[in-house]
Amino acid sequence: MRFDRTCKIEDAVDVNNHRSFLRHLYFDAEAKTLTTSDGHLVVVIPVELDDGDTSGFVSVEAIKAARKVKGSDPTILLKNDVQVVGQIRFPRPDPKIEGEFPSFKHFMKLGDESTATITFNAALLLKIQRAFGTNGVTLTFNAEDSTSQIRVSSITGKSLVAVLMPMRQ
């Protein structure tokens, strides 16, 4: 399995999660994807397959080791019970011990009639959240105009308000 070096999917893994199956990523050979979840978010990236790759858990350690290999995009050979990065072999997390990775595909489906697409700089949104001193914000925007401003308000109930401009695509 080969993945784009610019995607840092392992940053979304919660290695301290009390649910052990969320401490790893999940490789789906049929869908050609690598997925992680911490119970509050799901991140899915496309991957390229290598001959013999099998679906299952992928450890954060194997992902980090693959990143250290110089050259092309990180590559991990995923066999039934082992992950191989270069000459290093990692035992593959066992679903009998870790549990099953949660089904998430139904969360990814959005009907065209009820969706709105808006593009914004997440770093700026984080800057606003930090300025508010909160761990979350509420976004309000015109679903029919993806170029209109986004109102950002605090989830604390305090009168904290900011405006974020969408990015041009």
Side-chain angles (χ1 to χ4, degrees):
M1 172 202 68
R2 199 170 13 270
F3 60 96
D4 185 330
R5 185 174 293 282
T6 62
C7 296
K8 305 275 175 126
I9 190 168
E10 68 274 19
D11 289 351
V13 176
D14 184 358
V15 295
N16 296 315
N17 199 301
H18 68 280
R19 295 170 288 184
S20 61
F21 54 85
L22 294 179
R23 294 183 200 142
H24 310 288
L25 299 99
Y26 187 80
F27 167 65
D28 185 332
E30 184 178 322
K32 298 181 184 174
T33 58
L34 187 60
T35 305
T36 188
S37 176
D38 70 356
H40 300 282
L41 59 81
V42 175
V43 178
V44 182
I45 65 169
V47 297
E48 295 176 34
L49 300 181
D50 289 313
D51 288 340
D53 281 343
T54 58
S55 295
F57 286 115
V58 179
S59 69
V60 172
E61 294 78 18
I63 296 286
K64 289 180 178 179
R67 282 196 184 285
K68 291 180 183 177
V69 176
K70 302 282 188 227
S72 63
D73 285 333
T75 302
I76 304 171
L77 300 176
L78 297 167
K79 305 306 175 197
N80 291 333
D81 60 348
V82 68
Q83 309 163 102
V84 182
V85 178
Q87 300 300 317
I88 304 170
R89 298 170 72 84
F90 296 88
R92 200 154 182 201
D94 186 347
K96 293 178 191 141
I97 297 169
E98 305 296 343
E100 293 296 320
F101 196 81
S103 175
F104 64 89
K105 292 177 184 171
H106 60 284
F107 293 120
M108 299 302 210
K109 294 179 184 173
L110 295 174
D112 289 337
E113 69 284 346
S114 65
T115 62
T117 301
I118 193 159
T119 305
F120 57 88
N121 183 325
L124 295 177
L125 185 60
L126 180 60
K127 190 183 281 190
I128 292 169
Q129 178 181 315
R130 287 182 176 156
F132 286 173
T134 65
N135 65 354
V137 294
T138 299
L139 304 179
T140 307
F141 56 92
N142 182 345
E144 295 178 10
D145 181 5
S146 65
T147 62
S148 68
Q149 72 278 5
I150 305 161
R151 179 187 162 122
V152 184
S153 53
S154 171
I155 62 170
T156 63
K158 295 179 182 175
S159 297
L160 305 171
V161 179
V163 173
L164 178 64
M165 298 308 295
M167 293 175 68
R168 293 187 180 98
Q169 295 184 11

